[in-house]
Amino acid sequence: MKLQVLVGISALVVSTTLAGFAIAQSSGSVQSLRSGDLPDTLRAEQVHKQMEGRMKRNYRQQPPLIPHSSSQYQMDKRTNQCLGCHDWTVAGERGAPTLSMTHYLDREGNQLDTVAGTRWFCNQCHVPQANAPELVGNDFQPSNALR
Ligand code: HEC
Ligand code: HEC
């Protein structure tokens, strides 16, 4: 009795293994997710380092790119460490460019003494700079280049 069951099970195992083998054979070679054959050593993509030095603006209204590292400066609902150098009250002694006056206008056009809420999260508009190929290609030209 026991022997019969065992024979039955092994017959099942053998036939399913064979069936699996046949499927693997018919669907071609195994495709790896990392593209390239398993023994290949693939090179990591180039890391584009942040660049120092102020870059030319691509169009007149462009928020200037950030010419220094910025990830270490805390920016949340209460704290904005960028203002520690760029606010008009401190920029002179810090040797940093002062926020332009547009940053002190609220949405009704009132002049404020403190940075406007609409300009609080600097990295909404200002981004670090690196000379990297664009992720999505484009053929943008500023309007003065079209004249
Ligand atoms: C420790 C002082 C300091 C802090 C903090 C600081 N900056 Fe600056 N920032 C500077 C200085 C100095 C320059 C001018 C650098 C130069 O001319 O190469 C500058 C330049 C810039 C410019 C370029 C302005 C232009 O007209 O080209 C932008 C934009 C800027 N910073 C944004 C930021 C943002 C956003 C933060 C916060 C994430 C920040 N900065 C924090 C000192 C600071
Ligand atoms: C809504 C978009 C926006 C936000 C948010 C914003 N900026 Fe700007 N910023 C601009 C634009 C656009 C310019 C260039 C035109 C101008 O001066 O208004 C600029 C100019 C600057 C300049 C150059 C000023 C000059 O006269 O050369 C500095 C420095 C700067 N921003 C820093 C900051 C910092 C620091 C913050 C956060 C407290 C911030 N910005 C938030 C859009 C923004």
Side-chain angles (χ1 to χ4, degrees), residues 54 57 61-64 80 82-83 86 97-100 102-103 115 118-122 124-126:
R54 282 150 93 169
R57 296 188 197 183
Q61 307 91 331
Q62 182 192 329
N80 184 326
C82 312
L83 294 174
H86 287 287
T98 313
L99 295 181
S100 64
T102 54
H103 294 59
V115 68
T118 50
R119 301 285 181 135
W120 182 259
F121 293 104
C122 320
Q124 209 178 308
C125 304
H126 297 280

Side-chain angles (χ1 to χ4, degrees), residues 88-102:
W88 70 273
T89 51
V90 290
E93 67 208 45
R94 294 292 180 150
T98 313
L99 295 181
S100 64
M101 291 309 119
T102 54

Side-chain angles (χ1 to χ4, degrees), residues 21-33 36-38:
F21 186 67
I23 290 168
Q25 285 288 301
S26 62
S27 61
S29 58
V30 178
Q31 289 267 314
S32 85
L33 284 177
D37 285 332
L38 285 180

Side-chain angles (χ1 to χ4, degrees), residues 15 20 54 65 79 92 104 112 137:
S15 56
R54 282 150 93 169
L65 298 172
T79 310
Y104 297 98
L112 311 172

Side-chain angles (χ1 to χ4, degrees), residues 31-51:
Q31 289 267 314
S32 85
L33 284 177
R34 51 177 220 139
S35 70
D37 285 332
L38 285 180
D40 291 349
T41 309
L42 300 180
R43 298 187 124 243
E45 296 233 349
Q46 192 193 339
V47 175
H48 296 281
K49 292 223 182 80
Q50 205 173 318
M51 289 169 56

